[in-house]
Amino acid sequence: MALLRQATNAIYGGRLEGMVRLEIGPGSEKIGGAGAVYAFNPKADISKDVFIDIDVPPVPYRPQNFLLADAHYLPFKSEIFTDMYASHVLEHLRSPHRAIKEAIRVLAPEGRLHIWVPNWLDRSATLDKTHRWRFSFFSLRRLLRTHGLKTTAK
């Protein structure tokens, strides 16, 4: 992983100038658990932000600034993003704690982390077999506060 991190920093180091937002897991049009299709549905601006996922979206959807990468080991320098988006990602990860630590590392001071997860009471939280975690408002808030993040709900 250290070689991947060094190579990515070398390759994308200059290209990230002016790009201040990162989206983790924008979707790839792949079929997930219970037949769910994870459509490419970015929350960030496709023309100027950076996107990572563990699956490559099809060419017509793939943003120019797409990188195949793992949320547990973000291949970016520290403190470079002002905003990060993770919509319906945490529940799929091996270690949400590790991903949050990485998000904090690459977020600039005063940066914002925007997270959406399915409510643990919703059927989609249990029907999708790729979900490793279920979150309530309180468990998500506890996870974020454990890592020193302030939370706001909208």
Side-chain angles (χ1 to χ4, degrees):
M1 217 22 113
L3 283 176
L4 173 63
R5 189 179 300 261
Q6 290 171 3
T8 306
N9 279 336
I11 294 168
Y12 291 91
R15 203 167 139 193
L16 291 176
E17 289 179 27
M19 295 181 200
V20 294
R21 296 184 298 191
L22 171 67
E23 181 161 350
I24 298 171
S28 62
E29 304 294 324
K30 302 267 173 137
I31 296 177
V37 176
Y38 296 107
F40 182 71
N41 186 23
K43 303 290 184 206
D45 184 339
I46 195 166
S47 67
K48 60 182 177 180
D49 296 329
V50 179
F51 298 84
I52 70 157
D53 205 322
I54 58 168
D55 290 314
V56 179
V59 172
Y61 300 109
R62 190 175 317 141
Q64 175 184 352
N65 302 314
F66 177 83
L67 178 64
L68 190 64
D70 186 336
H72 298 97
Y73 305 98
L74 296 174
F76 302 107
K77 295 177 182 177
S78 297
E79 299 183 353
I80 61 170
F81 295 106
T82 58
D83 289 279
M84 287 181 62
Y85 302 89
S87 179
H88 295 267
V89 172
L90 285 183
E91 65 272 15
H92 297 274
L93 299 177
R94 182 178 62 257
S95 174
H97 282 278
R98 173 74 181 141
I100 295 296
K101 285 173 69 171
E102 276 293 276
I104 292 168
R105 182 185 65 77
V106 300
L107 272 173
E110 305 302 317
R112 293 174 297 194
L113 177 59
H114 308 267
I115 296 176
W116 295 264
V117 294
N119 185 297
W120 70 284
L121 293 173
D122 190 283
R123 284 180 46 129
S124 68
T126 56
L127 288 178
D128 188 334
K129 301 304 179 203
T130 65
H131 288 183
R132 296 176 180 203
W133 302 93
R134 286 191 272 168
F135 294 97
S136 68
F137 170 81
F138 299 105
S139 64
L140 181 59
R141 184 174 64 178
R142 185 173 42 253
L143 169 66
L144 298 173
R145 287 183 175 175
T146 296
H147 294 283
L149 294 172
K150 296 177 187 173
T151 58
T152 59
K154 290 187 179 186

